[in-house]
């Protein structure tokens, strides 16, 4: 696969953001660039989907909402912090607030921080609890991963990106 194709694949087929970055970075810098943009675009789609679903639920339950006090919608709680950071950094970089000389150092820092995050995730894994759950969740996860991976590759093939 080309760097671009693998980046598109990793960004669509891998679920966790830090895992997307790690997988794509191991393939190459261009793959990582594509994968991060694809994954964060997917993540940004959470916002309109959540707002749309909240609107639908509220509309369906209008009678119940009118008889009870209305909770205030706190939009910032719907948006993960890393997405806000991504948008701020993208804007700052696009407006040339971040000097080009800092790009390499910031890139190295990002690799370090991703490594720390993945290490923390691995160290917090409860192996005893994982064994107690049995094989069914792992089998389901494997099946879903195959479906998502095949879907990603088929879509790339159909669009001529592969």
């Amino acid at each position: 696969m080309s760097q671009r194709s693998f980046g598109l694949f990793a960004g669509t087929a891998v679920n966790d953001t830090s895992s997307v970055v790690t997988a794509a970075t191991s393939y190459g810098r261009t793959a990582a660039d594509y994968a991060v943009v694809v994954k964060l675009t997917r993540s940004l789609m959470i916002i309109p989907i959540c707002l749309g679903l909240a609107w639908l639920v509220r509309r369906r339950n209008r009678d119940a909402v009118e008889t009870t006090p209305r909770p205030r919608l706190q939009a910032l709680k719907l948006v993960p912090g890393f997405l806000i950071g991504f948008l701020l950094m993208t804007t700052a970089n696009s407006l040339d607030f971040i000097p080009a000389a800092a790009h390499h150092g910031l890139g190295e820092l990002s690799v370090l921080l991703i490594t720390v995050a993945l290490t923390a995730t691995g160290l917090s894994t409860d192996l005893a609890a994982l064994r107690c759950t049995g094989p069914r969740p792992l089998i389901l996860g494997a099946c879903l991963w195959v479906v998502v991976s095949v879907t990603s590759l088929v879509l790339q093939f159909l669009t001529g990106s592969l």
Side-chain angles (χ1 to χ4, degrees), residues 29-108:
R29 184 70 191 163
T30 303
D33 291 344
Y34 275 96
V36 167
V37 171
V38 170
K39 174 57 182 163
L40 291 176
T41 301
R42 283 179 51 209
S43 297
L44 282 171
M45 293 310 298
I46 292 170
I47 298 167
I49 289 170
C50 285
L51 291 174
L53 289 173
W55 178 79
L56 282 173
V57 168
R58 184 169 178 218
R59 185 176 169 159
R60 284 185 183 170
N61 299 330
R62 188 174 299 180
D63 295 334
V65 171
E66 289 175 359
T67 61
T68 59
R70 290 175 47 184
R72 295 191 64 175
L73 177 66
Q74 295 177 349
L76 287 179
K77 286 188 177 183
L78 294 175
V79 182
F82 73 90
L83 288 178
I84 294 170
F86 172 73
L87 290 174
L88 290 174
M89 293 304 289
T90 302
T91 302
N93 192 46
S94 296
L95 297 174
D96 291 328
F97 290 153
I98 301 172
H103 288 184
H104 178 72
L106 290 172
E108 295 297 319

Side-chain angles (χ1 to χ4, degrees), residues 1 3-17 19-21 23-24 31-43 45 144-157 159 161-162:
M1 292 180 109
Q3 292 279 318
R4 181 174 178 261
S5 294
F6 188 82
L8 290 171
F9 172 72
T12 56
V14 179
N15 190 44
D16 178 62
T17 303
S19 299
V20 168
V21 173
D33 291 344
Y34 275 96
V36 167
V37 171
V38 170
K39 174 57 182 163
L40 291 176
T41 301
R42 283 179 51 209
S43 297
M45 293 310 298
L144 290 173
W145 182 78
V146 168
V147 169
V148 169
S149 296
V150 169
T151 302
S152 174
L153 292 171
V154 167
L155 286 173
Q156 281 193 59
F157 178 75
T159 60
S161 300
L162 189 60

